[in-house]
Amino acid sequence: MRLLQALLLVRTAVAYPVDFDCGNACDSTSWVEINDSSKDCAWVAAYPAERCDAVGEGRVLASDACPTACENFFSAANTIRRAEEAPGTIAEIANATENLSTLVLALSLADLVDTLASPGPFTVFAPTNDAFEALPSETFEALLNDTDALGEVLLYHVVDGELFASDLTDGQVVPTFQGSTFNLSVTDDAVVVVYETGNATVVVADIEASNGVIHIIDAVLVPPGDEVVEEPPTDEMVENVTIVDLALMNENLSTLVTALTAADLVATLSGDEPFTVFAPTNDAFDALDEGVLDGLLSDTDALEAILLYHVTTGSVFSTDLFDGQVITMLSGNTTTISISESIMINTANITSADNEASNGVVHIIDAVLFPDDVEEPDVVDCVDSSSWFKNGEPSKDCAWVAEFVPTRCAVKGEDQILADYACPASCDNTCDDSTSWFKNGEPSKDCATRCLSLCVYAWSDVVFPAGAWVSLFPEARCDVFGEERELAEDACPTACAEIVTNVTRRTEEEEMNATILEVAVATESLSTLVDAVIAAGLDETLAGPGPFTVFAPTNDAFDALPNGTLEALLNDTDTLTAILLYHVVSGEVFSANLTDGEMIMTLEGSNFTVAINDTGAFVIFDSGSAAIISADIVASNGVVHVIDMVLIPGIDDDCEDSTSWYKLGDTSKDCAWVAEFVPTRCTVKGEDQILAEYACPVACENTCQDSTSWFKNGEPSKDCAWVSVFPEARCDVFGEERELAADACPTACA
C-alpha cells in the first residue's frame, strides 16, 4: 500500500516553475486547461487578466505554467507563495496581487510607489479592492483627484519598521507615517485595526517583503479628523482625468475596461485627441448571449471593431445630439441618434450623459452596439449544417436526412454528432428544450438545463437542482425514452447538444438487460474507469450477478489526480484493486435510500460517509469529498451513481502534529512554536509550501475533516466541495462569522 500512502500525501501537490525570469522558454509547452487541449499558454497570453487563473491537469495554474504569458498578472492566491519564494519590495508584491490593484493605482497617483520600493523597513496595512469600493463613490473620486488628501490617507496605512502578527498586542497604539495613531484589538480569532470612525480586520497577515511586511485589511483606514471632500470633480480636476480614468473609477464599466485592455485600445483613449465614447455598462455586456463575450475577448480583431463602433472623434455632448442624426464612428460604420422620452444611439439608451474627461466625453449606455459587418455571434445557429454528413458517406447530408424524418435524425456523423442537432431545420428541431418531456413514468426527470432562481425539487429523499436530470449526465440520459418512446435527445436538444457518445441507441429492453460493466462501457465519460476495472481484473465481477452499487468516477475525476498517479496505479494492480473496490458496495443502494451522515461499508473493507444538503448528495472520504452528479443509473445487476472525484481509502490517521515539520528555513520553529501563537502562526508555511495548519492539526485545533456545514457567506451552494474544485483561489474565502474555507475545509485545502 506504499503507493496509496504516497497518493494521499501528494494528491493536492502543485508543481511550480522554479525560474520566473527565463524568457519565452519558461512557458510550458505541455500545459493545457482541463478538458480543452486547445487552450494552452498562447491562449492564456491572449487575455492574461482572465486566463492566468485557469486550472490545468494536476490542478496546475496557468500563472505557474505560463509565467511569461502571465508576467504582469499574478493571482492573489499565489502572490503570498511567490513572495516567500523570492520576496520583492512591498510595492512589487502589491503590484503582483490582483486584489490590491486599486491600492497600487492610488499609490501611483500619490507618488508613493518609490517610497514603498525603498529600503524601509515598513509595515503596510493594505486595503483590498473591495475595501476601496466600499467607500462612497464621491469620496473615492475626490481622493483620486486630490493627491495631497490621498497621500495623507495612504500614509495612515504605513508604519515604520517591521511589525509581524506575533509582534501585535491587544490595545497597542501604533504610530503611522501620516502622524496620527490607531489602536489594535487582538484576540484569538482576529487582529482588528481600530481608528476614529471605524475598524478594519486583518484578513491576511505576514506577507513578507524584502523591505518590510504587508497585512491585508478589509477596510480603508481614515485618519482622525479627516474630512474627505465629497463634492463632484471641479473643472480643474477634470483636466487630469482621461476617458480611461473615468472608466476605471466607475465600477459599472469594469467589463468595458477589460475589453479595451484586451483590444489594446487603452493607450488610444488615454491620448490627447478628443473622443466621444458611448460606454456599455457591465449589465449590457452581461445581457449578451452566453459565450459571446468570451468569444469576443478571444477574437481581438472583432472585439476592436466592436469597441471602435462605440467611439467617435471630437467632444459631442448631449446638447449637440438631435433626432435622426447620423454619426460616423471610428470603426467606419455609422450610428443613428433618436430622441423622444430618452436619447438613444441605435437601440441603446443613454442612461448617463456628459461625463466629461480631459480628452473628451463619455455617455453611458445600456446595450452593446454591433456594426453591420460584425454580427453578434449566435450561440445556437438553428439552421441545417452544410458540412455534416453520415459518418463515412459524404453524399448523405442534411438533405438526405430530410427525406425520411424522424428515422434519419437518429443517424450520427463525425464526432458522433446526431443529425437531429446538425440538421435542426430538416428534423423540425426548435433548438429549445422541451418543457413537457420527462422520462416515462417519472415526471421529475425532465430536460431543463438550468434553474434561474434558488429553486429545487425533491427526488425521493435527495434534493437536486431543479429540472437538471438529463443535463446532469447527458452521456447516459440522452438515450432515455419518454412517453410514446420519445427520446430525451430529441426533446432536450440543449441538454444534449454537445454530447459525444459511443452509445448505440438501445431499446428499453436492452437497457434493462445491461450489466454495470456494459453501462460503463457504453458511457464515454466512464472510459477511464472501464480501463482501470479491466486492468485490475474486476470486469468479470461487475458483469456478474451482484447486485452491486457502484460510485463511478468520471474521466475528469481521474484526470484531476496528480500527474503520473493514474499510470502508476495501472501498473500496481493491488493498490488499484483496493481503490476500485472502495467505490463498490454490496446490494442495490438507490438515492432514495441514502441518508445524511450514513456510513457505508465498501467491498474494500473501509467505510465512507454520505452527506446530503440543499446542494445535493456527497461522498465524504478521508482526503476529500465527491459530489454525486448523476444518480440511479439502473443496470441488470445493480445501480450506478456517477461522482466527480476518485475516492481514496484512508490510512490510519490519528490527526497528530507532525514531528518533522518546521517553518521554511528555520528548523527551530516547529509545531510547538506554532502552538504558542494560534491562529497567527498556523498560516506559516514549511517545506513544499505545507501550511502549519495542516502539519500541526492539534496545535491549530484542526479536526482533519472537512466541515459539512461551512459555506461561502450567503451562498449555501458554495461548500467545501466547491472549495476543492479550485482550492488555490477559494481557500481564502470567508464563510459565516468570517470563518475561512482553509480552516473549515482542511482536506480540500491541504
Side-chain angles (χ1 to χ4, degrees):
M1 297 294 284
R2 289 181 180 176
L3 179 61
L4 176 58
Q5 296 181 11
L7 174 60
L8 285 167
L9 291 173
V10 306
R11 95 176 258 118
T12 56
V14 178
Y16 301 109
V18 175
D19 186 0
F20 285 90
D21 298 311
C22 47
N24 290 329
C26 200
D27 278 354
S28 169
T29 56
S30 60
W31 181 93
V32 293
E33 188 185 35
I34 289 177
N35 299 330
D36 195 339
S37 59
S38 68
K39 295 180 177 178
D40 56 9
C41 286
W43 170 81
V44 172
Y47 193 53
E50 284 289 330
R51 296 173 178 170
C52 286
D53 273 333
V55 182
E57 292 184 353
R59 296 191 183 279
V60 177
L61 280 174
S63 56
D64 295 312
C66 314
T68 303
C70 298
E71 63 180 338
N72 293 320
F73 175 84
F74 296 92
S75 70
N78 284 326
T79 299
I80 298 172
R81 172 180 59 76
R82 291 198 177 107
E84 290 177 350
E85 290 174 352
T89 65
I90 289 172
E92 289 169 340
I93 290 175
N95 190 54
T97 305
E98 185 183 18
N99 69 345
L100 298 180
S101 59
T102 306
L103 174 63
V104 172
L105 171 64
L107 290 170
S108 178
L109 291 173
D111 200 22
L112 290 174
V113 173
D114 289 344
T115 300
L116 295 184
S118 64
F122 309 105
T123 298
V124 174
F125 291 82
T128 62
N129 294 350
D130 289 343
F132 280 100
E133 288 176 8
L135 292 172
S137 59
E138 298 86 354
T139 300
F140 186 41
E141 291 174 15
L143 281 173
L144 293 179
N145 288 287
D146 183 349
T147 54
D148 290 338
L150 179 62
E152 288 289 299
V153 170
L154 293 175
L155 290 175
Y156 190 56
H157 295 73
V158 184
V159 177
D160 187 25
E162 289 182 318
L163 290 178
F164 289 89
S166 57
D167 303 317
L168 305 178
T169 59
D170 189 41
Q172 182 176 355
V173 178
V174 180
T176 71
F177 271 95
Q178 183 267 347
S180 304
T181 62
F182 57 69
N183 297 334
L184 294 177
S185 171
V186 180
T187 66
D188 290 340
D189 298 322
V191 175
V192 178
V193 177
V194 181
Y195 55 101
E196 187 177 70
T197 57
N199 57 74
T201 300
V202 175
V203 294
V204 180
D206 293 348
I207 303 174
E208 292 188 49
S210 61
N211 63 338
V213 61
I214 300 171
H215 306 298
I216 297 179
I217 56 177
D218 64 359
V220 177
L221 310 179
V222 179
D226 192 76
E227 294 183 5
V228 178
V229 179
E230 298 188 4
E231 297 176 358
T234 64
D235 291 341
E236 212 172 275
M237 294 175 181
V238 169
E239 289 179 4
N240 300 315
V241 179
T242 67
I243 288 171
V244 173
D245 292 331
L246 278 180
L248 283 168
M249 291 189 299
N250 190 332
E251 61 183 16
N252 293 320
L253 298 179
S254 60
T255 305
L256 175 62
V257 172
T258 298
L260 291 171
T261 304
D264 199 22
L265 290 174
V266 171
T268 301
L269 296 181
S270 298
D272 295 332
E273 182 176 351
F275 300 105
T276 298
V277 175
F278 295 86
T281 62
N282 295 350
D283 289 342
F285 282 101
D286 290 342
L288 296 174
D289 287 336
E290 185 177 355
V292 169
L293 179 58
D294 289 338
L296 289 173
L297 292 173
S298 300
D299 183 352
T300 53
D301 290 338
L303 179 63
E304 181 182 9
I306 289 171
L307 292 174
L308 291 178
Y309 189 56
H310 293 74
V311 184
T312 190
T313 56
S315 295
V316 183
F317 290 88
S318 61
T319 52
D320 302 319
L321 301 174
F322 56 87
D323 191 37
Q325 182 179 6
V326 176
I327 300 176
T328 300
M329 314 305 284
L330 289 189
S331 65
N333 309 82
T334 60
T335 57
T336 303
I337 299 295
S338 57
I339 301 177
S340 56
E341 295 180 358
S342 63
I343 303 176
M344 298 182 69
I345 178 168
N346 290 358
T347 58
N349 292 290
I350 296 179
T351 59
S352 176
D354 299 340
N355 297 280
E356 192 173 357
S358 61
N359 61 339
V361 62
V362 177
H363 305 299
I364 298 175
I365 59 176
D366 64 1
V368 179
L369 309 177
F370 283 85
D372 293 337
D373 54 353
V374 181
E375 296 182 357
E376 180 177 346
D378 290 326
V379 176
V380 177
D381 191 7
C382 206
V383 296
D384 284 352
S385 167
S386 58
S387 59
W388 182 94
F389 54 85
K390 183 180 179 183
N391 204 11
E393 301 182 62
S395 65
K396 296 182 176 178
D397 56 8
C398 285
W400 170 81
V401 170
E403 294 171 1
F404 195 41
V405 173
T407 301
R408 289 180 179 169
C409 293
V411 172
K412 292 180 180 178
E414 291 185 343
D415 297 324
Q416 302 296 317
I417 296 175
L418 281 170
D420 194 27
Y421 310 118
C423 313
S426 296
C427 293
D428 298 323
N429 188 337
T430 64
C431 296
D432 293 323
D433 284 352
S434 167
T435 57
S436 59
W437 181 94
F438 55 86
K439 185 180 179 185
N440 202 9
E442 301 182 62
S444 66
K445 296 180 177 177
D446 57 8
C447 64
T449 57
R450 67 187 62 180
C451 178
L452 298 179
S453 62
L454 296 177
C455 50
V456 294
Y457 72 86
W459 176 16
S460 301
D461 293 330
V462 184
V463 176
F464 289 95
W469 189 77
V470 169
S471 64
L472 278 175
F473 194 38
E475 294 87 347
R477 295 177 173 172
C478 286
D479 279 331
V480 171
F481 288 98
E483 292 184 339
E484 299 181 2
R485 297 192 61 73
E486 181 184 14
L487 275 170
E489 64 186 17
D490 298 320
C492 315
T494 303
C496 301
E498 296 182 4
I499 181 174
V500 179
T501 174
N502 57 8
V503 181
T504 303
R505 190 171 285 186
R506 304 186 299 274
T507 65
E508 289 182 294
E509 183 178 355
E510 288 171 336
E511 286 182 348
M512 292 305 297
N513 290 329
T515 65
I516 288 173
L517 182 63
E518 289 169 337
V519 168
V521 168
T523 305
E524 186 186 22
S525 65
L526 298 180
S527 60
T528 305
L529 174 63
V530 172
D531 292 342
V533 166
I534 293 172
L538 293 175
D539 46 326
E540 292 185 7
T541 301
L542 295 183
F548 306 107
T549 298
V550 174
F551 293 82
T554 62
N555 295 349
D556 288 343
F558 281 101
D559 289 343
L561 294 173
N563 288 337
T565 299
L566 178 59
E567 291 77 7
L569 286 172
L570 292 173
N571 290 303
D572 181 352
T573 54
D574 290 340
T575 301
L576 178 63
T577 299
I579 289 175
L580 292 175
L581 290 177
Y582 190 57
H583 294 74
V584 184
V585 176
S586 179
E588 289 181 318
V589 183
F590 288 89
S591 61
N593 306 124
L594 299 174
T595 58
D596 186 38
E598 178 182 6
M599 295 188 66
I600 295 181
M601 174 67 72
T602 69
L603 294 189
E604 182 267 344
S606 303
N607 298 321
F608 58 68
T609 304
V610 172
I612 299 174
N613 56 36
D614 289 343
T615 63
F618 302 87
V619 175
I620 310 297
F621 55 104
D622 268 20
S623 55
S625 64
I628 297 177
I629 58 177
S630 178
D632 297 345
I633 302 173
V634 180
S636 61
N637 62 339
V639 61
V640 178
H641 305 301
V642 179
I643 56 177
D644 66 356
M645 186 177 287
V646 178
L647 310 179
I648 306 298
I651 59 176
D652 291 338
D653 183 4
D654 296 329
C655 204
E656 297 177 348
D657 285 350
S658 168
T659 57
S660 58
W661 182 93
Y662 54 85
K663 182 181 179 182
L664 190 60
D666 191 343
T667 55
S668 67
K669 295 181 177 178
D670 55 9
C671 286
W673 171 81
V674 170
E676 294 172 0
F677 195 53
V678 173
T680 301
R681 289 179 179 170
C682 293
T683 62
V684 173
K685 292 181 180 178
E687 291 187 340
D688 298 323
Q689 300 298 316
I690 296 175
L691 281 171
E693 181 171 7
Y694 309 120
C696 313
V698 176
C700 294
E701 300 176 357
N702 189 334
T703 64
C704 298
Q705 292 183 342
D706 285 351
S707 167
T708 57
S709 59
W710 182 94
F711 56 86
K712 184 180 178 184
N713 201 11
E715 301 182 61
S717 64
K718 296 182 177 178
D719 54 7
C720 286
W722 171 81
V723 171
S724 69
V725 173
F726 193 25
E728 294 86 351
R730 294 175 176 171
C731 288
D732 282 331
V733 170
F734 285 100
E736 293 186 334
E737 299 180 1
R738 300 193 64 77
E739 183 182 13
L740 269 176
D743 300 321
C745 313
T747 303
C749 298

